Amino acid sequence: MITLQRRQLVGHDILLARHGNHICSMRLDRGNGRVVALLDDGSVDSAPNLISPGLRLPDTLQSVLREDWKLFAGLSAAAAGLGCLMVAAASAYSSSMVDPEMVQLLSAYSAY
C-alpha cells in the first residue's frame, strides 16, 4: 500500500550531529543524493542522504509528480481535448436545432 509521507533526510541528521548550531543553511542535492550545509565560518560540508544505496524510501506526493509528470500531462491534455470536443459538438447540435424565426429575431437584435 502506497502511503504519501514526508521523507526523513538522513543527511540533515548527520550534519546536525557533526556541526550542531554552526549550520547557516542546508539544501538537498538530489542529483548526487546528498545534503549540503553552509557553516558559520563559510565552509561547506555534505553528507549522504541514504543509509543504504539500495534502500527504497516511501513515496511522497512530490516524488510521484516528479516521476509521472508526463503521464499526468498527457491525461490532462486528453481531458482538455475531450472537453473542447464536447463543447463544439453541443454548440453544433444546438445551432442545428434553432428555429428560423429565432435566428431572424436574434440577427435583428445583433445590429444594435
Side-chain angles (χ1 to χ4, degrees), residues 34-54:
R34 301 184 72 78
V35 175
V36 180
L38 176 64
L39 304 176
D40 287 343
D41 61 358
S43 62
V44 176
D45 190 13
S46 66
N49 199 30
L50 294 175
I51 297 171
S52 171

Side-chain angles (χ1 to χ4, degrees), residues 63-111:
S63 69
V64 169
L65 290 177
R66 191 177 326 113
E67 292 170 2
D68 297 334
W69 71 270
K70 290 180 183 179
L71 173 69
F72 292 134
L75 290 175
S76 298
L82 183 62
C84 290
L85 183 64
M86 290 175 66
V87 167
S91 175
Y93 180 71
S94 66
S95 67
S96 69
M97 301 303 280
V98 174
D99 212 13
E101 294 172 358
M102 183 63 79
V103 172
Q104 185 179 6
L105 181 65
L106 290 173
S107 64
Y109 282 115
S110 65

Side-chain angles (χ1 to χ4, degrees), residues 15 25 30 60 65 76 86 89 92:
L15 290 171
S25 66
R30 291 188 194 282
T60 63
L65 290 177
S76 298
M86 290 175 66

Side-chain angles (χ1 to χ4, degrees), residues 6-68:
R6 188 176 190 282
R7 290 184 179 165
Q8 297 300 318
L9 302 177
V10 177
H12 281 194
D13 293 338
I14 294 171
L15 290 171
L16 282 171
R18 282 185 197 164
H19 303 289
N21 291 338
H22 299 288
I23 297 174
C24 291
S25 66
M26 282 195 243
R27 68 175 176 83
L28 179 62
D29 183 7
R30 291 188 194 282
N32 295 326
R34 301 184 72 78
V35 175
V36 180
L38 176 64
L39 304 176
D40 287 343
D41 61 358
S43 62
V44 176
D45 190 13
S46 66
N49 199 30
L50 294 175
I51 297 171
S52 171
L55 181 66
R56 172 79 174 134
L57 294 174
D59 291 327
T60 63
L61 182 61
Q62 293 169 345
S63 69
V64 169
L65 290 177
R66 191 177 326 113
E67 292 170 2
D68 297 334

